[in-house]
């Protein structure tokens, strides 16, 4: 189909390019939709640097539900034990190490294995965000705990290599037994 448009200056009909017709149809359809209320117009807003930092922080805001989802997504061995460790290490997500270092597991900065720590602060590794701490623990688990197949082996490893508290494993077990239904 060929379309023509009348040019009053030359008193002639001029062939209208095909792309112009498509553009005109889209614009007319969009305009009609706006008038009828079918599509709301896009509103351009500009945000300040401070507002963008707030938006980023909101996206990375910690919740226990987000932690459970990430633990599940990363396919941790014994996820209920991992969640129990996070709860114990952070004092139910209230500790200074968690709040200031984004460190959910009381991890020290790794020297030998791959890690996401940005350095050491308050004697523990610190991370850009809490998710990095979870990924770092996943790296730890892959490196040191991948051959373990039972909860008993996992707890034995934790007792011998993870924490200084001699009651650490019994504390983790008490919490973990209540969390099995989360996974």
């Amino acid at each position: 189909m060929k379309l023509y448009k009348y040019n009053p200056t030359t008193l002639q009909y001029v062939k209208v390019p095909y792309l112009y017709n498509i553009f005109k149809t889209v614009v007319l359809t969009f305009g009609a939709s706006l008038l009828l209320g079918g599509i709301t117009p896009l509103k351009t807003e500009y945000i300040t640097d401070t507002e963008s930092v707030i938006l980023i922080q909101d996206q990375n805001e910690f919740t226990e539900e987000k932690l459970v989802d990430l633990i599940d997504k990363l396919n941790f061995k014994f996820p209920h034990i991992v969640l129990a460790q996070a709860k114990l290490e952070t004092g139910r997500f209230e500790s200074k190490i968690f709040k200031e270092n984004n460190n959910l597991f009381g991890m020290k900065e790794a020297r030998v294995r791959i890690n996401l720590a940005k350095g050491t602060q308050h004697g523990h590794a610190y991370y850009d965000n809490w998710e990095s701490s979870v990924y770092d623990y996943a790296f730890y688990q892959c490196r040191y705990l991948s051959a373990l197949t039972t909860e008993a082996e996992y707890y034995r490893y934790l007792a011998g290599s993870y924490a200084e508290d001699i009651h650490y494993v019994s504390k983790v077990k008490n919490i973990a037994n209540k969390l099995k239904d989360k996974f």
Side-chain angles (χ1 to χ4, degrees), residues 21-177:
N21 288 328
I22 293 174
F23 177 76
K24 186 176 177 182
T25 303
V26 169
V27 169
L28 288 174
T29 304
F30 183 75
S33 295
L34 286 175
L35 289 173
L36 297 173
I39 300 174
T40 56
L42 297 175
K43 184 178 177 184
T44 304
E45 291 185 25
Y46 296 96
I47 59 175
T48 65
D49 291 338
T50 303
E51 290 169 329
S52 66
V53 169
I54 292 168
L55 290 174
I56 291 167
Q57 286 174 343
D58 285 347
Q59 287 177 338
N60 293 332
E61 184 179 348
F62 174 82
T63 65
E64 187 174 335
E65 292 76 27
K66 287 181 183 179
L67 174 59
V68 168
D69 289 344
L70 187 54
I71 289 172
D72 193 42
K73 176 183 161 190
L74 293 177
N75 201 25
F76 275 97
K77 280 187 177 188
F78 313 111
H80 60 290
I81 298 174
V82 173
L83 180 59
Q85 284 182 270
K87 285 186 169 212
L88 180 61
E89 291 287 347
T90 62
R92 303 218 179 262
F93 314 114
E94 296 296 323
S95 74
K96 179 179 181 178
I97 300 299
F98 171 59
K99 289 183 175 182
E100 292 184 19
N101 290 11
N102 292 309
N103 189 333
L104 282 159
F105 300 98
M107 300 287 286
K108 304 287 185 176
E109 185 178 1
R111 303 283 183 214
V112 179
R113 66 172 174 81
I114 189 171
N115 71 84
L116 297 174
K118 295 297 183 182
T120 298
Q121 178 174 281
H122 308 303
H124 292 81
Y126 70 90
Y127 302 91
D128 284 336
N129 53 55
W130 67 268
E131 291 101 333
S132 294
S133 171
V134 179
Y135 280 100
D136 197 37
Y137 191 78
F139 294 149
Y140 174 84
Q141 195 181 74
C142 287
R143 175 71 173 92
Y144 299 110
L145 307 170
S146 61
L148 306 181
T149 57
T150 67
E151 286 186 21
E153 290 175 324
Y154 196 92
Y155 284 126
R156 268 195 301 278
Y157 181 87
L158 292 178
S161 302
Y162 194 80
E164 297 168 5
D165 182 356
I166 60 172
H167 302 292
Y168 184 78
V169 170
S170 63
K171 291 175 184 177
V172 171
K173 278 183 183 179
N174 286 337
I175 299 168
N177 288 335

